[in-house]
Amino acid sequence: MSIALVILAAGKGTRMNSDLPKVLHPIANAPMLVHAMKAGAALSPARTVVVAGHEFDAVQSAAKEFNDDVVVVEQSEQKGTAHAVEVCREALLGFDGDVIVLFGDTPFVSEETLESMISAKAQNAVVVLGFEAADPGKYGRLMMSGDQLDRIVEFADASDEERAVTFCNSGVMLADRQTLFSLIESVGPHNAQGEYYLTDVVGLARQRGLGVTAVACDERETLGINSRAHLADAEAIFQTRARKELLDLGVTLQQPETVMLSFDTVIGRDTLIEPNVYFGPGVTIESGTRIRAFSHLEGCHVSRGATVGPYARLRPGAELSENVHVGNFVEIKNAEVGEGTKVNHLSYIGDATLGSGTNIGAGTITCNYDGVMKHRTTIGSKAFIGSNTMLVAPVSVGDEAMTGSGSVITKDVPEAALAISRAEQQTKPGVARKLFEILKKKKQKRALENE
Ligand code: UD1
Ligand code: CA
């Protein structure tokens, strides 16, 4: 049976207290909508429809960025979850299969859980995903009799007795397209919130004599994000899961709870991650590297055998080849660093290409920005850049060339050349001692005056 995915993402999310629509708030640096889309994509759906409304354009582009094939339909007025599915009717015309409804604010449903719903669908017209809630709060309550689900009661409409039920609605629902849209036609807005509830589909199906059941999953999968506190919970759930996956893959995390990962972080086995490392989006770390404490990485690639940090910052476009050393207080941006090259202390390397086996002395800076434009620095292999060299780009330093410490390099340095550009040293014998004597006398005089 083929599957169509419907993801509801039109709501404003008032309780987020934000200008950003709720579904675009990030978890592990990707919008929560993208996490929901990823969850559904595991089923290889024949069609994916996202329902957007509040901040339509922004939601549409986030959805399209993840998957250009999705159809984004507009629900201009948010009249409830049943109405949100109703606006997909046209987009699903001609689709002959099961429709699975996910919520854009419920990002962590697992593939196994969705598969178990599909299995339960064999004996039932409608399948709902439920969970035992430690704190059922405002979730809809699932009213079971035996293995059949009789109806879902929204919190706002529930009696005290119904509110005491802890088996709750995740919002995920599965039914074949025709049944789903035929049931939705009968949903009315006669409830405490005056909304068209998708949850009413359950009672309506039972009235028609159709089988409805609920499949249960772990509460962590169905966390519905309605507030910043929920968002923080979701981040914690994601991080815990992602760290565990890395440990299982053979990555050492010395203090896992201090390492922050992104939705797309890739780290090879036998890499050692020291405490307090932050992985922003777009990071790939090959096997056998060491990422030392307090480093911040995003949009970069670190090859086998490299060491980074402590206190290093790798920004987008940093490409480190094998066995590169990047040390403390070094920032690298949009730069390729060749095999075995060392940038060990207090440097900024931006918009640059560095060859292999080169040593970049402490405090070296590529002066890549002239206030208007960015320029490139090119350094060859086996070069030696003296400490505190300013490389005023555009500039190049050839293979096996050298720069003197403290130089400001504004002209290209050819292969094997030594470039020095600094004021010549003057040495005056005995002058230091004399100067000390003069200064000490001055100090004494001042002390006497002040008595
Ligand atoms: C909903 C369920 C509730 C369930 C809970 C799980 C209904 C009536 N209630 O309640 O049983 O326990 O989710 O988290 O379904 N949306 C639209 N258009 C609308 C209304 C909502 O696209 O007109 C989208 C929202 O953007 C959101 C999702 O649907 O992504 C859920 O809406 P929300 O208002 O958060 O529903 P809850 O009150 O949480
Ligand atoms: Ca919700």
Side-chain angles (χ1 to χ4, degrees):
M1 184 64 97
S2 76
I3 293 277
L5 207 62
V6 167
I7 303 177
L8 306 190
K12 179 172 191 293
T14 313
R15 283 176 280 169
M16 294 299 285
N17 191 13
S18 172
D19 291 335
L20 191 69
K22 175 164 75 176
V23 294
L24 296 190
H25 278 266
I27 299 166
N29 293 310
M32 69 174 91
L33 172 63
V34 165
H35 289 269
M37 291 175 78
K38 258 188 152 176
L43 298 174
S44 316
R47 296 191 198 186
T48 300
V49 184
V50 171
V51 182
H54 186 76
E55 296 284 337
F56 178 84
D57 292 342
V59 173
Q60 172 169 253
S61 53
K64 291 263 184 197
E65 195 181 319
F66 175 71
N67 175 0
D68 198 36
D69 294 335
V70 302
V71 176
V72 183
V73 298
E74 185 164 13
Q75 184 197 24
S76 43
E77 207 186 326
Q78 284 81 59
K79 298 183 192 168
T81 45
H83 178 252
V85 177
E86 172 60 34
V87 301
C88 301
R89 186 183 286 270
E90 220 170 291
L92 291 173
L93 276 183
F95 169 75
D96 184 27
D98 285 344
V99 175
I100 197 151
V101 179
L102 301 179
F103 287 175
D105 71 350
T106 306
F108 296 145
V109 184
S110 73
E111 184 181 355
E112 298 72 54
T113 295
L114 295 175
E115 295 287 0
S116 73
M117 289 181 73
I118 291 167
S119 308
K121 175 72 176 42
Q123 278 95 40
N124 293 279
V126 180
V127 180
V128 166
L129 179 62
F131 61 101
E132 268 307 325
D135 169 16
K138 293 186 175 164
Y139 287 117
R141 307 299 205 262
L142 299 184
M143 311 307 288
M144 303 292 295
S145 52
D147 72 343
Q148 286 293 292
L149 175 61
D150 282 336
R151 63 204 166 86
I152 304 179
V153 190
E154 285 304 291
F155 179 80
D157 304 291
S159 64
D160 285 347
E161 206 177 310
E162 287 164 334
R163 285 181 182 181
V165 171
T166 54
F167 192 35
C168 291
N169 177 30
S170 69
V172 184
M173 189 181 279
L174 173 64
D176 74 84
R177 181 186 67 91
Q178 272 174 336
T179 306
L180 181 66
F181 284 99
S182 139
L183 289 166
I184 282 175
E185 266 170 32
S186 308
V187 173
H190 314 294
N191 52 57
Q193 304 187 88
E195 285 183 10
Y196 294 84
Y197 290 162
L198 182 61
T199 46
D200 283 355
V201 156
V202 171
L204 291 165
R206 298 287 283 144
Q207 281 167 31
R208 292 189 193 176
L210 298 171
V212 182
T213 196
V215 164
C217 73
D218 190 293
E219 186 168 5
R220 277 167 297 189
E221 283 185 42
T222 55
L223 175 75
I225 296 160
N226 299 308
S227 64
R228 304 273 181 165
H230 293 155
L231 186 66
D233 291 344
E235 183 76 42
I237 290 170
F238 178 92
Q239 294 296 339
T240 305
R241 208 170 60 182
R243 290 169 193 139
K244 185 173 179 303
E245 276 169 19
L246 285 181
L247 295 170
D248 291 345
L249 283 170
V251 175
T252 296
L253 306 178
Q254 286 182 327
Q255 200 176 2
E257 67 279 14
T258 66
V259 174
M260 295 298 284
L261 302 159
S262 281
F263 70 105
D264 60 352
T265 304
V266 177
I267 303 180
R269 70 199 278 266
D270 288 328
T271 279
L272 191 152
I273 314 284
E274 294 184 6
N276 296 296
V277 176
Y278 187 93
F279 294 93
V283 175
T284 305
I285 309 285
E286 289 184 13
S287 304
T289 65
R290 187 177 182 114
I291 312 296
R292 308 203 57 197
F294 298 100
S295 293
H296 189 286
L297 294 80
E298 59 188 316
C300 62
H301 174 215
V302 177
S303 302
R304 202 174 273 271
T307 63
V308 173
Y311 299 98
R313 178 160 185 217
L314 300 185
R315 290 173 53 204
E319 282 281 335
L320 311 191
S321 302
E322 292 187 13
N323 304 318
V324 160
H325 286 210
V326 170
N328 41 257
F329 306 107
V330 169
E331 173 179 345
I332 298 189
K333 182 214 79 170
N334 188 29
E336 297 101 52
V337 182
E339 192 176 335
T341 286
K342 294 178 179 159
V343 192
N344 271 333
H345 331 269
L346 304 154
S347 277
Y348 172 61
I349 302 295
D351 302 314
T353 305
L354 277 52
S356 57
T358 281
N359 189 82
I360 306 291
T364 294
I365 286 175
T366 55
C367 310
N368 60 329
Y369 187 47
D370 58 16
V372 180
M373 284 180 294
K374 302 277 174 67
H375 303 281
R376 272 198 98 72
T377 299
T378 307
I379 300 173
S381 296
K382 295 188 185 148
F384 181 91
I385 305 299
S387 293
N388 201 30
T389 297
M390 301 292 122
L391 296 151
V392 183
V395 74
S396 73
V397 177
D399 291 346
E400 294 174 61
M402 213 183 244
T403 69
S405 311
S407 291
V408 178
I409 302 295
T410 55
K411 293 179 219 137
D412 289 353
V413 181
E415 181 184 331
L418 164 68
I420 309 181
S421 116
R422 61 186 186 211
E424 201 157 332
Q425 183 172 329
Q426 296 178 31
T427 308
K428 302 179 176 176
V431 170
R433 187 170 295 150
K434 278 186 201 152
L435 202 55
F436 276 132
E437 278 161 10
I438 293 167
L439 292 172
K440 277 176 192 158
K441 274 186 190 144
K442 251 190 193 164
K443 192 177 175 188
Q444 255 173 4
K445 200 175 155 217
R446 232 175 250 180
L448 287 171
E449 279 167 7
N450 289 341
E451 260 175 19

